[in-house]
């Protein structure tokens, strides 16, 4: 063998000592998921009680301002009852409405099988 090949063989046979990596220090370098993906998103929908108040206009829903802040700002909301019946209402803010309720005119809702005090999902829609 030529002397150059012997030198290459000797250098490849020498073992370089490997440092063990401490798992805790390696994990401390990884940022938490909330930091990677930003702040947690606000829930854009919420379960509420649908209450009938027949003195309201047809197509208008009275909502507490705190609930509106929670689901997002918008001019119209969509209320879904039992995953089947979808209704769109214009928003009217009112402090007298409890946070977990939405007041609507219930004159035509019994035709769809929706009764007073039904549980529904509310979300803001853009029109």
């Amino acid at each position: 063998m030529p002397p150059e090949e012997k030198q290459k063989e000797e250098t490849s046979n020498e073992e370089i000592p490997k440092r063990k990596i401490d798992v805790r220090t390696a994990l401390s370098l990884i940022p938490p998921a909330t930091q990677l993906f930003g702040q947690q998103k606000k829930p854009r929908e919420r379960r509420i009680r649908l209450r009938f108040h027949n003195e309201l206009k047809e197509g208008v829903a009275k909502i507490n301002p705190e609930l509106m802040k929670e689901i997002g700002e918008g001019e119209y909301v969509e209320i879904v009852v039992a995953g089947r019946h979808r209704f769109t209402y214009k928003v009217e803010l009112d402090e007298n409405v409890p946070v977990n309720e939405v007041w609507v005119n219930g004159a035509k809702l019994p035709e769809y099988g929706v009764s007073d005090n039904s549980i529904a999902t509310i979300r803001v829609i853009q029109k």
Side-chain angles (χ1 to χ4, degrees), residues 20-27:
K20 288 189 176 180
I21 299 172
D22 185 25
V23 175
R24 289 184 184 175
T25 56
L27 288 177

Side-chain angles (χ1 to χ4, degrees), residues 54-61 88-90 105-109:
N54 292 329
E55 69 274 358
L56 294 174
K57 284 184 181 179
E58 190 73 35
V60 173
T88 303
Y89 293 99
K90 186 168 175 49
N105 186 326
K108 294 186 179 177
L109 293 180

Side-chain angles (χ1 to χ4, degrees), residues 5-32:
E5 287 182 27
K6 283 185 180 179
Q7 284 180 349
K8 287 182 183 177
E9 234 177 83
E10 289 175 8
T11 57
S12 63
N13 288 340
E14 292 178 19
E15 288 186 27
I16 301 171
K18 294 182 180 179
R19 281 188 5 195
K20 288 189 176 180
I21 299 172
D22 185 25
V23 175
R24 289 184 184 175
T25 56
L27 288 177
S28 68
L29 298 175
I30 301 171

Side-chain angles (χ1 to χ4, degrees), residues 47-50 79-83 114-121:
R47 304 279 280 181
I48 48 97
R49 290 279 179 178
L50 193 61
I79 296 177
V80 182
V81 181
V114 179
S115 63
D116 189 21
N117 208 23
S118 295
I119 294 177
T121 303

Side-chain angles (χ1 to χ4, degrees), residues 35-97:
Q35 188 177 7
L36 287 175
F37 299 113
Q39 298 298 324
Q40 291 180 347
K41 292 184 179 180
K42 290 182 182 178
R44 303 314 277 172
E45 61 182 38
R46 177 145 181 240
R47 304 279 280 181
I48 48 97
R49 290 279 179 178
L50 193 61
R51 300 303 309 261
F52 294 171
H53 286 266
N54 292 329
E55 69 274 358
L56 294 174
K57 284 184 181 179
E58 190 73 35
V60 173
K62 281 196 175 186
I63 300 174
N64 190 301
E66 289 180 31
L67 175 62
M68 226 25 221
K69 285 179 190 172
E70 187 177 324
I71 63 172
E73 299 294 326
E75 192 174 339
Y76 292 92
V77 292
E78 179 182 55
I79 296 177
V80 182
V81 181
R84 296 180 276 205
H85 306 292
R86 295 176 184 268
F87 306 101
T88 303
Y89 293 99
K90 186 168 175 49
V91 173
E92 188 176 300
L93 299 178
D94 188 358
E95 289 283 337
N96 297 328
V97 180

